[in-house]
Amino acid sequence: MDHGGHAGHGGGGGGGGGGHDGGGDHDGGATCSMNMLFNWDTENLCVVFESWRIDTPAGLVFSFLVIVAMAASYEALRAQSRRFEERLIEGERKRHPESSGSGGIGEDETPLLASHSSSFRLSNQQRLTRALFYMAQVFVGFFLMLIFMTYNGYLMAATVLGAGVGFFYFGGDTLATSTKALSCH
């Protein structure tokens, strides 16, 4: 559907705002660029918010570093969540050693893909903590998805680089660690 003949949804010639350009011209400056195709734009690029605008090379570098840190923080959140759950499981094993079910396998002989099928009830505080970790991961994941959906090559690269850096530092150094890919949910 072609909306090219409409100046805005408010009627009139120009003051209505509300067009489909991805941002308003509120301060007399350029509008946000909203490109739905892969691009390498570095001017008038808004990242999630109209106020997070990239207009200069320095702004691009700063935004790149912020996005790398955000993606790495996602991996740090996941690592903290895994450690919390491992502490819960370990605490339960200490409270009920007979139900840990190692099946005669020694500590050094644990299978590579050992299952944590221990079923025990969590307290409300433990459930709340797990839910808060989950909510934080969902929020950061969706925020990174919105950044990725600018389709800007620099910002996409920052997201992927941050995920890799975060996984390197926080993803654990054993194969028993989950390797679920970065996702928005």
Side-chain angles (χ1 to χ4, degrees):
M1 177 179 259
D2 182 20
H3 292 287
H6 299 292
H9 292 282
H20 295 285
D21 62 357
D25 192 8
H26 301 294
D27 60 358
T31 60
C32 292
S33 167
M34 183 61 189
N35 198 335
M36 296 304 291
L37 300 172
F38 184 78
N39 66 84
W40 295 97
D41 294 345
T42 59
E43 293 181 7
N44 297 324
L45 175 63
C46 290
V47 184
V48 181
F49 304 107
E50 190 173 356
S51 59
W52 186 356
R53 183 187 307 251
I54 298 173
D55 287 321
T56 64
L60 177 64
V61 169
F62 178 75
S63 293
F64 188 93
L65 294 174
V66 166
I67 293 167
V68 166
M70 286 174 56
S73 75
Y74 178 85
E75 292 298 326
L77 258 171
R78 288 184 59 228
Q80 280 296 111
S81 179
R82 279 192 305 268
R83 280 193 287 275
F84 176 73
E85 291 185 0
E86 288 168 0
R87 285 193 305 267
L88 291 177
I89 292 168
E90 188 60 34
E92 185 64 19
R93 284 184 181 155
K94 286 180 180 176
R95 278 191 291 283
H96 305 288
E98 69 281 352
S99 66
S100 64
S102 65
I105 298 174
E107 187 74 32
D108 295 340
E109 300 170 358
T110 303
L112 179 63
L113 299 175
S115 167
H116 296 296
S117 61
S118 307
S119 71
F120 58 91
R121 303 219 22 107
L122 299 175
S123 70
N124 284 339
Q125 167 113 23
Q126 292 167 331
R127 290 175 57 207
L128 177 63
T129 302
R130 287 184 73 220
L132 290 172
F133 272 123
Y134 182 76
M135 289 170 22
Q137 288 176 54
V138 168
F139 178 80
V140 174
F142 275 116
F143 199 85
L144 289 168
M145 178 200 61
L146 290 173
I147 291 170
F148 205 87
M149 287 180 63
T150 63
Y151 299 104
N152 183 279
Y154 298 112
L155 304 186
M156 294 168 86
T159 305
V160 172
L161 179 64
V165 167
F167 186 78
F168 180 82
Y169 284 108
F170 305 113
D173 55 0
T174 64
L175 291 177
T177 302
S178 171
T179 57
K180 180 182 172 221
L182 176 73
S183 62
C184 57
H185 185 249

